[in-house]
C-alpha cells in the first residue's frame, strides 16, 4: 500500500506538471536578425508614461459635472493627438502588461513562479534597442528591463519598496516622486556636459512608471475619491513634464509621447482576469510623428463607449497592447524587438505613405523571422517523413511574399490597398504559422497524458476490486502470461524511447510518453481481477450498482459545472439536504437529520452571494462574533480586524499592536490544537476555534460566517454517518463521545469497502469543492482582495500576501479534511481504503477538465479550464501527501493494536 501511494503521488505530480509543458511553454525563440526602417524617423526621443492600474473609462469618462478628470490629456485627444483603447490579455498583471508594452509579446505564464518579477527566458525590448533609456518608478518593474538589456544603456531610478504601502496616507506620492525626480534629473543635466550630450542623442527613451493609481485602487477601490484624484494629479504631472521637456530641448518638436496603462482594475480593486474593466486600458499618443486629432466620420465600434465618454466626434483607434512596442520603435527609428508579435498601428503615424510601407514591411519581416526560426527548430526535432509543414507559408511562398512586397514598394505603390495590405496579410499568415509550430506537439503530448490518466484510473479501480471485493478467482497459473506481458511492454517502452531519441526530444517528453507503459502494464497484469469480476456479475446487485453509477456520474458532472457556475453548488446542497428523507434516516434519527438538513440549507446560501472582496463589509464579521462565539481570542481578533480597517480608512497606517497580535494568532493556530484533548469532538472544536481566529483576521465581509456554518454541517455529517452505521446494524460501531484519536486501532474491527462508501467519498469531494468555491472563484486571480491581509502587512509583497491568501483558502479545506478523518475512525474504515474511492472521483474530474482545454479557444477560456484542472490536481496531490504522511502513524497504531489483541488472546 505504501508503494502504491508513493507511485500514485509521482504519477499525479507528472500529470500536474504536464499541463504547463503542453500549454505554457515559452513562446520566445532566439537567433533572429533585427529589422529596422531604412528611412529617417520622425522623432529623436520618446517619452512613455504608464499609469499602472488605470482603467480606460476612468480616464475618458467625464465626472458627474460633465468635466474631464484629466483636462490636459483630454485636450490632446481633441486637438493634437490620436487615442484609442489598448486591449490587454490575461493575466492582467503589471509585469505581463509591461512586457507586452515594451517588448511586444505576451509573456508565458511560467513567470508567475517568480512573482511576475523575472522571466525564465531572456527577451528583447524597445529599451534594449534604444541608444539610452532612463526609467523612474517601481522597484518591482524597472529592474527586469535593465537586467535583460545588453550593455549598460538602461538606467533605472526607483524608490524604496517600503513606499508601496497600501496603508499609506497618500499613495499618489509615488507618482509625485517620479515627476520630481525626472525634473531634478533634467536640471542636473544642464550642468553635466556628458549627460547633456547623451540626452541630445537620437533614439532615446524616457520611461515614467506611475504606480500611485494602482495602489490607491487596491486600497480604496477605483470609484474612490483617492483613485480619481490621483488621475488628476497624473494628468497635471504629465502636462508639466511636457512643458519641461519642450523647454529643455528648445521646442524642437522632435519628442513623441505615449500615455497608456498596463492593466485596468475591477470595481472591487483587483485585477488579473479577463473582465473588461481589467482588459480595457487607455492609449493616448501625441508629438513628433504622431497623427493629430481626426474627426470621426462613422463609428466602427458598437460598444457605446464613445457616447458614454463624450468623444463621439474624435476618431478612436483601438490596438492590441503588444502593438504599442512596434509603434514606439517606428517613431524613434530603432529595430523592432525581435520577439515582438505586435502589428504596427499605421493610423497613429503622421508620415508619408512610403514611410508607412517601409515600416509595415520591416514589421512583417521581423515576425516572419520568428516563424522561420520556429519552423527550423521544429524541423530539427522531428523525423523528416513525419514533419508536416505549415502549408500556407512554405519556403517558396515566403520568398514570393517578400519579393512581391519589396517590388511594390520600389515601384512606389504605397497605397494601403497594395503594398501595405500585402504586408499585413503576410503578418497574419506568419502569426498563424507561429501559433501552429508553437502548438505542434500538443496533440501528441496530450494524447500521452490522457492515455496515462485513463490507465492509472483503471488500475486504481482494479486495485479496489482486488483488495475489497470478494471475487471468485480462477484456479489457473498465469506466470508465463505475465512474463510475456512484461517482455511485450518492455519492447514498447524501448521503441518509444528510441523514437524520442531520434527526434532529439526534451527529457520531459520521455516522462510523459513512457509513463503510460508501466501504468498499462500494471493494468494488464490485473486481468485476473477483471475476469473474476465478469464471473461474479450474476451474483452482484446490478440494479444497486447501476444506480450508484448514475448518481456518481451525475454528481461528477455537477461538480465540474460548479467550477463555472457557483450556483450549482447550491443545487447540490439542496439535494444533499434531502438525503435523510430519501434514505429513511429521518424516521430513525429526526434530530440529527434535521440538523443535517438545516446546515445544508444554510450553507447553500453562500454560493449565491457575490464573490468575497467585491463589496467588503466588516460588519458581517462583527455579526458573526456576536451570534456564534464569545471566546476571548475570537473577540480579540474581531477587535483587531475592525481596528485595522478603521485605521486604514483614516490613513493612519497598520498599528504595530494589531500586526503583532495577528501574527501571534497565526502561529498559535498551528500549536494550540496539538495541546488539546484527543477526544473526537474536543479535538475538532479546538481545531475549529484556532482556524476561525485566523480566518476572521483574513476576512473582509460575509465570508467570516462561512467556517462556522461549514463546521455545523461537518458535525452534522459525523453524527448522521454514525446513525447510518446504526441503521446498517454494524456490530463494531463505537460511540462518538468515546472515540479517541490517540487510541490504538484494533485491526480486527477494520472493515472492507461497501457501496455506501462511494457516497461517503463523493460527499467528501463535494464538500472540498464547497470549501474552495463557497465564498468565491479561486480559479480567478481577480477574486483575491489584498485587503484580506491588511491585519498582517500592507507593504506589497506578492509571496507573503499570496501565501496568506492561500492559507485562507485552505482553512475550510482543513476543516473538511479533519471531518473526513473523523468519519473514517468512527465508521471503522481504513483511511487508505476510503481514499482510493476519493482518488478515482477526483481523477475523473481532472480528466474531464483536461478534455475541456481547447487549442482554438480564447486565452481566457483556455486559462479557465487549465486553472480548474490545476486546482483538482493540486487537491489530489495534497490528499496523497496527507495519506503518505498519515500512513506511518496509522500503521503504527494498527501494529500496536494487533500486538495487544494477540497478547490478550
Amino acid at each position: 500500500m505504501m508503494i502504491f501511494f508513493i507511485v500514485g503521488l509521482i504519477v499525479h505530480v507528472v500529470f500536474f506538471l504536464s499541463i504547463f509543458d503542453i500549454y505554457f511553454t515559452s513562446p520566445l525563440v532566439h537567433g533572429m536578425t533585427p529589422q529596422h526602417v531604412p528611412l529617417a524617423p520622425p522623432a529623436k526621443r520618446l517619452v512613455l508614461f504608464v499609469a499602472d492600474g488605470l482603467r480606460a473609462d476612468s480616464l475618458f469618462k467625464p465626472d458627474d459635472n460633465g468635466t474631464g478628470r484629466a483636462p490636459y490629456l483630454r485636450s490632446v485627444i481633441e486637438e493634437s493627438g490620436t487615442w484609442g483603447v489598448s486591449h490587454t490579455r490575461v493575466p492582467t498583471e503589471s509585469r505581463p502588461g509591461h512586457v507586452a508594452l515594451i517588448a511586444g509579446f505576451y509573456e508565458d505564464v511560467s513567470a508567475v513562479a517568480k512573482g511576475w518579477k523575472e522571466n525564465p527566458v531572456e527577451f528583447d525590448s524597445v529599451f534594449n534597442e534604444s541608444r539610452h533609456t532612463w526609467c523612474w518608478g517601481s522597484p518591482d518593474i524597472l529592474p527586469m528591463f535593465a537586467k535583460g538589456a545588453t550593455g549598460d544603456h538602461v538606467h533605472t531610478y526607483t524608490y524604496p519598496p517600503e513606499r508601496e504601502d497600501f496603508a499609506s496616507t497618500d499613495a499618489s506620492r509615488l507618482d509625485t516622486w517620479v515627476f520630481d525626480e525626472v525634473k531634478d534629473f533634467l536640471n542636473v543635466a544642464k550642468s553635466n556636459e556628458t549627460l547633456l550630450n547623451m540626452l541630445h542623442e537620437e533614439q532615446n527613451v524616457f520611461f515614467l512608471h506611475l504606480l500611485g493609481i494602482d495602489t490607491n485602487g487596491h486600497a480604496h477601490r477605483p470609484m474612490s475619491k483617492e483613485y480619481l484624484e490621483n488621475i488628476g494629479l497624473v494628468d497635471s504631472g504629465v502636462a508639466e513634464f511636457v512643458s519641461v521637456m519642450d523647454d529643455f530641448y528648445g521646442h524642437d518638436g522632435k519628442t513623441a509621447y505615449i500615455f497608456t496603462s498596463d492593466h485596468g482594475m475591477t470595481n472591487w480593486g483587483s485585477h488579473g482576469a479577463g473582465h473588461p474593466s481589467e482588459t480595457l486600458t487607455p492609449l493616448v499618443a501625441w508629438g513628433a510623428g504622431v497623427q493629430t486629432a481626426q474627426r470621426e466620420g462613422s463609428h466602427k465600434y458598437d460598444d457605446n463607449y464613445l457616447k458614454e465618454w463624450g468623444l463621439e466626434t474624435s476618431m478612436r483607434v483601438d490596438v492590441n497592447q503588444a502593438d504599442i512596442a512596434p509603434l514606439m520603435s517606428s517613431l524613434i527609428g530603432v529595430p523592432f524587438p525581435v520577439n515582438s508579435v505586435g502589428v504596427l498601428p499605421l493610423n497613429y503615424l503622421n508620415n508619408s505613405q512610403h514611410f508607412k510601407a517601409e515600416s509595415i514591411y520591416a514589421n512583417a519581416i521581423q515576425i516572419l523571422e520568428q516563424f522561420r526560426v520556429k519552423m527550423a527548430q521544429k524541423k530539427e526535432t522531428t523525423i523528416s517523413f513525419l514533419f508536416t509543414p505549415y502549408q500556407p507559408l512554405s519556403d517558396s511562398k515566403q520568398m514570393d511574399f517578400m519579393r512581391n512586397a519589396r517590388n511594390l514598394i520600389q515601384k512606389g505603390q504605397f497605397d494601403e490597398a497594395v503594398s501595405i495590405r500585402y504586408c499585413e496579410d503576410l503578418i497574419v499568415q506568419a502569426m498563424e504559422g507561429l501559433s501552429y509550430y508553437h502548438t505542434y506537439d500538443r496533440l501528441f503530448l496530450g494524447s500521452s497524458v490522457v492515455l496515462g490518466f485513463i490507465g492509472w484510473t483503471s488500475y486504481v479501480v482494479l486495485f479496489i476490486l482486488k483488495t475489497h471485493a470478494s471475487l471468485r478467482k480462477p484456479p489457473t497459473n498465469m506466470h508465463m502470461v505475465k512474463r510475456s506481458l512484461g517482455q511485450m511492454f518492455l519492447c514498447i517502452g524501448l521503441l518509444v524511447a528510441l523514437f524520442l531519441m531520434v527526434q532529439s526530444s526534451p527529457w520531459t517528453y520521455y516522462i510523459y510518453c513512457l509513463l503510460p507503459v508501466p501504468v498499462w502494464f500494471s493494468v494488464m497484469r490485473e486481468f485476473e481481477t477483471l475476469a473474476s469480476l465478469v464471473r461474479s456479475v450474476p451474483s452482484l446487485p446490478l440494479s444497486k450498482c447501476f444506480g450508484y453509477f448514475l448518481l456518481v456520474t451525475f454528481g461528477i458532472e455537477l461538480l465540474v459545472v460548479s467550477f463555472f457556475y457557483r450556483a450549482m453548488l447550491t443545487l447540490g446542497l439542496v439535494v444533499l439536504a434531502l438525503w435523510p428523507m430519501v434514505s429513511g434516516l429521518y424516521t430513525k434519527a429526526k434530530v440529527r437529520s434535521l440538523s443535517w438538513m438545516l446546515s445544508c440549507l444554510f450553507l447553500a446560501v453562500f454560493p449565491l452571494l457575490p464573490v468575497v472582496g467585491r463589496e467588503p463589509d466588516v460588519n458581517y464579521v462583527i455579526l458573526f462574533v456576536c451570534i456564534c462565539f464569545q471566546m476571548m481570542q475570537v473577540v480579540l481578533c474581531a477587535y483587531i480586524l475592525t481596528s485595522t480597517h478603521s485605521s486604514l480608512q483614516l490613513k493612519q497606517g497598520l498599528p504595530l499592536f494589531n500586526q503583532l497580535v495577528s501574527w501571534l494568532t497565526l502561529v498559535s493556530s498551528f500549536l494550540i490544537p496539538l495541546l488539546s484533548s484527543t477526544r473526537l469532538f474536543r479535538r475538532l472544536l479546538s481545531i475549529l476555534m484556532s482556524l476561525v481566529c485566523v480566518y476572521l483576521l483574513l476576512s473582509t465581509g460575509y465570508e467570516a460566517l462561512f467556517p462556522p456554518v461549514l463546521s455545523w454541517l461537518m458535525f452534522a455529517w459525523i453524527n448522521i454517518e454514525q446513525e447510518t452505521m446504526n441503521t446498517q446494524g454494524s456490530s463494531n460501531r463505537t460511540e462518538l463521545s468515546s472515540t479517541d484519536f490517540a487510541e490504538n486501532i484494533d485491526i480486527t474491527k477494520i472493515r472492507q469497502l461497501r457501496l455506501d462508501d462511494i457516497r461517503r467519498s463523493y460527499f467528501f469531494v463535494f464538500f472540498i469543492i464547497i470549501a474552495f468555491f463557497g465564498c468565491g472563484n479561486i480559479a480567478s486571480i481577480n477574486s483575491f482582495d489584498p485587503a484580506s491581509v491588511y491585519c498582517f502587512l500592507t507593504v506589497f509583497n506578492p509571496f507573503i500576501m499570496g501565501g496568506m491568501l492561500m492559507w485562507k483558502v485552505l482553512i475550510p479545506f482543513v476543516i473538511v479534511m479533519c471531518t473526513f478523518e473523523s468519519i473514517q475512525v468512527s465508521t471503522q474504515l481504513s483511511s487508505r481504503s476510503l481514499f482510493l474511492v476519493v482518488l478515482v472521483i477526483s481523477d475523473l474530474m481532472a480528466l474531464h477538465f483536461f478534455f475541456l482545454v481547447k487549442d482554438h479557444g480564447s486565452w481566457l477560456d483556455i486559462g479557465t479550464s487549465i486553472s480548474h484542472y490545476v486546482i483538482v490536481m493540486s487537491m489530489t496531490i495534497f490528499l496523497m501527501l496527507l495519506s503518505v504522511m498519515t500512513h506511518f502513524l496509522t500503521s503504527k497504531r494498527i501494529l500496536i493494536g494487533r500486538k495487544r489483541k494477540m497478547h490478550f488472546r
Side-chain angles (χ1 to χ4, degrees):
M1 182 64 79
M2 188 61 189
I3 295 175
F4 173 83
F5 278 118
I6 292 176
V7 172
L9 182 61
I10 295 173
V11 168
H12 281 82
V13 169
V14 171
F15 291 158
F16 175 80
L17 296 176
S18 68
I19 200 73
F20 297 98
D21 252 354
I22 296 174
Y23 289 96
F24 288 145
T25 53
S26 175
L28 303 184
V29 290
H30 298 87
M32 291 79 68
T33 303
Q35 304 293 322
H36 65 278
V37 181
L39 303 178
K44 291 183 178 180
R45 67 200 71 90
L46 179 137
V47 180
L48 173 63
F49 304 96
V50 177
D52 203 303
L54 177 60
R55 295 162 44 149
D57 59 344
S58 297
L59 178 70
F60 296 139
K61 187 178 179 180
D63 57 21
D64 296 336
N65 299 325
T67 58
R69 300 187 180 101
Y72 175 75
L73 291 174
R74 187 85 174 190
S75 66
V76 169
I77 292 172
E78 296 175 347
E79 300 171 8
S80 59
T82 302
W83 74 284
V85 173
S86 172
H87 297 265
T88 69
R89 279 195 187 179
V90 175
T92 47
E93 297 288 342
S94 290
R95 181 196 156 87
H98 281 87
V99 168
L101 287 170
I102 300 168
F105 71 92
Y106 301 103
E107 189 172 39
D108 52 300
V109 185
S110 60
V112 72
K114 297 189 176 183
W116 300 120
K117 291 187 177 181
E118 295 183 28
N119 194 60
V121 182
E122 295 297 330
F123 58 89
D124 192 20
S125 69
V126 175
F127 294 174
N128 186 45
E129 297 291 352
S130 68
R131 192 177 303 276
H132 296 286
T133 295
W134 290 273
C135 313
W136 294 266
S138 169
D140 295 323
I141 298 298
L142 305 190
M144 66 182 177
F145 293 103
K147 179 181 178 181
T150 56
D152 56 354
H153 65 283
V154 178
H155 316 278
T156 61
Y157 304 89
T158 64
Y159 39 74
E162 293 75 21
R163 291 202 176 193
E164 298 180 12
D165 191 346
F166 294 116
S168 172
T169 55
D170 186 9
S172 63
R173 289 186 301 181
L174 298 175
D175 300 338
T176 303
W177 183 93
V178 171
F179 289 122
D180 291 343
E181 287 291 316
V182 178
K183 288 183 289 185
D184 292 343
F185 173 80
L186 294 178
N187 287 331
V188 170
K190 294 177 182 179
S191 57
N192 186 327
E193 185 176 356
T194 302
L195 180 58
L196 188 64
N197 291 333
M198 292 170 59
L199 288 170
H200 278 83
E201 293 178 358
E202 297 181 354
Q203 300 181 342
N204 285 341
V205 176
F206 299 84
F207 173 42
L208 281 68
H209 177 242
L210 308 168
L211 187 62
I213 293 176
D214 182 77
T215 306
N216 271 318
H218 285 305
H220 305 289
R221 308 297 184 257
M223 301 304 172
S224 64
K225 180 184 70 172
E226 291 82 359
Y227 183 91
L228 299 178
E229 288 180 350
N230 203 152
I231 296 175
L233 182 145
V234 166
D235 180 73
S236 60
V238 170
E240 183 181 1
F241 178 71
V242 170
S243 177
V244 170
M245 285 287 287
D246 288 344
D247 292 340
F248 185 85
Y249 287 104
H251 297 270
D252 63 355
K254 290 296 182 178
T255 306
Y257 300 92
I258 291 180
F259 180 92
T260 186
S261 175
D262 54 347
H263 57 76
M265 186 172 290
T266 61
N267 290 339
W268 52 96
S270 297
H271 54 81
H275 192 273
S277 61
E278 302 167 87
T279 60
L280 302 183
T281 59
L283 173 61
V284 183
W286 69 100
V290 179
Q291 185 65 261
T292 56
Q294 302 292 311
R295 297 302 170 192
E296 183 70 87
S298 58
H299 303 307
K300 61 179 180 179
Y301 303 101
D302 56 359
D303 49 26
N304 204 37
Y305 286 140
L306 288 173
K307 183 178 180 180
E308 181 181 342
W309 297 339
L311 293 170
E312 301 99 317
T313 60
S314 299
M315 183 177 176
R316 168 184 162 190
V317 182
D318 285 9
V319 301
N320 291 320
Q321 193 173 47
D323 299 342
I324 297 175
L327 173 62
M328 294 190 292
S329 299
S330 178
L331 288 172
I332 58 176
V334 300
F336 294 100
V338 294
N339 302 117
S340 172
V341 293
V343 180
L344 179 63
L346 296 176
N347 289 333
Y348 276 82
L349 297 180
N350 183 18
N351 216 314
S352 64
Q353 289 294 100
H354 185 196
F355 182 86
K356 292 182 178 181
E358 290 285 3
S359 297
I360 197 68
Y361 177 77
N363 191 187
I365 299 302
Q366 170 259 323
I367 295 178
L368 184 62
E369 282 282 312
Q370 296 182 69
F371 169 81
R372 287 174 165 176
V373 172
K374 199 80 172 178
M375 180 179 67
Q377 289 180 351
K378 187 50 58 183
K379 199 170 184 178
E380 289 177 0
T381 58
T382 307
I383 300 175
S384 57
F385 68 88
L386 293 178
F387 179 71
T388 306
Y390 180 66
Q391 295 298 334
L393 208 57
S394 60
D395 291 341
S396 59
K397 291 181 179 178
Q398 293 176 41
M399 298 303 298
D400 290 341
F401 263 120
M402 296 169 59
R403 182 174 56 254
N404 293 338
R406 176 47 62 189
N407 289 337
L408 289 172
I409 293 175
Q410 290 176 349
K411 292 178 182 178
Q413 298 180 8
F414 309 129
D415 186 70
E416 291 191 12
V418 188
S419 60
I420 292 178
R421 180 62 62 188
Y422 200 81
C423 291
E424 289 176 343
D425 291 340
L426 175 58
I427 290 175
V428 172
Q429 292 291 344
M431 295 280 282
E432 292 179 355
L434 267 175
S435 177
Y436 172 80
Y437 286 117
H438 184 62
T439 61
Y440 190 86
D441 290 334
R442 278 188 184 174
L443 179 61
F444 172 65
L445 292 177
S447 300
S448 298
V449 172
V450 169
L451 191 63
F453 226 132
I454 295 174
W456 169 256
T457 306
S458 302
Y459 177 71
V460 174
V461 173
L462 291 174
F463 187 84
I464 294 173
L465 293 173
K466 180 180 179 180
T467 55
H468 293 278
S470 301
L471 300 178
R472 294 175 294 178
K473 297 183 180 180
T476 55
N477 186 5
M478 306 299 293
H479 180 70
M480 294 299 297
V481 177
K482 291 182 178 180
R483 176 182 292 182
S484 301
L485 276 175
Q487 294 173 350
M488 182 182 70
F489 276 93
L490 178 61
C491 292
I492 293 174
L494 291 175
L495 288 175
V496 172
L498 180 63
F499 174 76
L500 296 173
M501 189 181 302
V502 170
Q503 295 202 126
S504 302
S505 299
W507 64 271
T508 53
Y509 282 37
Y510 287 84
I511 297 176
Y512 303 141
C513 297
L514 288 175
L515 181 62
V517 177
V519 169
W520 277 102
F521 170 65
S522 301
V523 173
M524 297 304 294
R525 284 190 63 185
E526 300 297 333
F527 61 85
E528 291 179 88
T529 304
L530 186 60
S532 299
L533 176 64
V534 173
R535 291 185 179 89
S536 303
V537 166
S539 61
L540 294 176
L542 295 181
S543 58
K544 191 173 182 179
C545 293
F546 184 70
Y548 266 98
F549 173 77
L550 291 180
L551 287 175
V552 171
T553 303
F554 170 77
I556 292 177
E557 289 300 318
L558 179 69
L559 291 177
V560 169
V561 175
S562 69
F563 275 68
F564 301 94
Y565 306 99
R566 288 174 58 220
M568 295 303 295
L569 294 174
T570 298
L571 175 61
L573 283 167
V574 171
V575 173
L576 292 187
L578 300 176
W579 170 57
M581 305 287 291
V582 176
S583 62
L585 283 173
Y586 181 78
T587 58
K588 300 175 182 178
K590 291 186 178 180
V591 176
R592 291 182 173 181
S593 297
L594 190 60
S595 177
W596 164 269
M597 295 168 68
L598 290 176
S599 57
C600 282
L601 295 176
F602 270 96
L603 194 65
V605 175
F606 285 90
L608 299 177
L609 297 175
V611 173
V612 165
R614 300 189 177 184
E615 297 294 338
D617 187 355
V618 296
N619 291 324
Y620 284 111
V621 182
I622 301 173
L623 174 64
F624 151 65
V625 175
C626 296
I627 294 177
C628 300
F629 292 98
Q630 296 295 320
M631 299 188 67
M632 291 302 298
Q633 189 178 13
V634 181
V635 174
L636 177 61
C637 290
Y639 165 76
I640 294 298
L641 180 68
T642 54
S643 172
T644 299
H645 281 271
S646 175
S647 178
L648 295 180
Q649 289 177 356
L650 297 174
K651 300 182 181 180
Q652 296 175 352
L654 173 59
L656 180 60
F657 173 75
N658 294 12
Q659 190 174 20
L660 289 175
V661 172
S662 298
W663 283 106
L664 287 173
T665 302
L666 175 64
V667 174
S668 65
S669 67
F670 296 100
L671 301 176
I672 292 177
L674 300 178
L675 305 176
S676 64
S677 171
T678 56
R679 293 287 183 180
L680 188 147
F681 282 120
R682 294 179 186 176
R683 174 57 66 91
L684 288 180
L685 184 61
S686 176
I687 294 173
L688 169 65
M689 295 301 298
S690 299
L691 295 178
V692 162
C693 290
V694 178
Y695 199 90
L696 186 60
L697 293 171
L698 293 169
S699 298
T700 61
Y702 73 83
E703 80 270 26
L705 300 170
F706 184 71
V709 177
L710 178 64
S711 302
W712 177 19
L713 177 57
M714 293 299 99
F715 279 108
W717 186 23
I718 295 173
N719 281 285
I720 204 164
E721 288 294 355
Q722 185 72 4
E723 287 298 331
T724 304
M725 295 293 293
N726 296 344
T727 303
Q728 294 174 351
S730 176
S731 59
N732 294 328
R733 66 183 183 86
T734 58
E735 293 296 331
L736 291 176
S737 58
S738 62
T739 302
D740 195 321
F741 286 116
E743 288 182 351
N744 299 313
I745 299 175
D746 186 351
I747 194 171
T748 61
K749 292 185 178 181
I750 296 179
R751 62 179 178 82
Q752 294 289 85
L753 281 173
R754 304 169 183 166
L755 280 176
D756 203 40
D757 292 318
I758 298 177
R759 175 192 54 77
R760 292 187 178 92
S761 301
Y762 177 78
F763 278 15
F764 170 68
V765 176
F766 182 85
F767 291 140
I768 285 292
I769 303 303
I770 283 286
F772 275 144
F773 292 100
C775 293
N777 180 10
I778 66 168
S780 177
I781 300 176
N782 70 10
S783 293
F784 296 108
D785 185 3
S788 297
V789 302
Y790 284 173
C791 289
F792 296 88
L793 76 164
T794 55
V795 177
F796 179 69
N797 188 312
F799 289 108
I800 296 180
M801 288 182 167
M804 297 300 298
L805 291 171
M806 188 54 62
W807 179 234
K808 178 182 178 181
V809 170
L810 289 177
I811 284 176
F813 180 93
V814 173
I815 293 174
V816 176
M817 279 296 304
C818 293
T819 304
F820 192 55
E821 179 65 22
S822 301
I823 290 175
Q824 292 171 5
V825 171
S826 63
T827 57
Q828 289 89 36
L829 182 64
S830 168
S831 59
R832 295 166 297 176
S833 301
L834 201 55
F835 173 74
L836 292 174
V837 185
V838 173
L839 186 62
V840 173
I841 296 174
S842 59
D843 281 348
L844 289 174
M845 288 178 59
L847 190 60
H848 199 305
F849 284 121
F850 195 92
F851 281 119
L852 287 178
V853 181
K854 304 293 184 182
D855 280 343
H856 304 292
S858 68
W859 266 109
L860 179 59
D861 296 333
I862 293 174
T864 300
S865 296
I866 290 175
S867 63
H868 292 160
Y869 173 83
V870 168
I871 289 171
V872 176
M873 290 303 299
S874 301
M875 178 187 74
T876 307
I877 291 173
F878 182 78
L879 291 174
M880 297 201 73
L881 280 171
L882 206 59
S883 297
V884 171
M885 289 188 295
T886 57
H887 172 81
F888 296 101
L889 297 175
T890 307
S891 298
K892 183 178 179 181
R893 290 166 62 197
I894 291 175
L895 181 61
I896 295 174
R898 182 189 292 130
K899 288 181 177 179
R900 289 189 175 181
K901 187 74 174 179
M902 292 176 63
H903 178 73
F904 175 77
R905 287 180 177 175

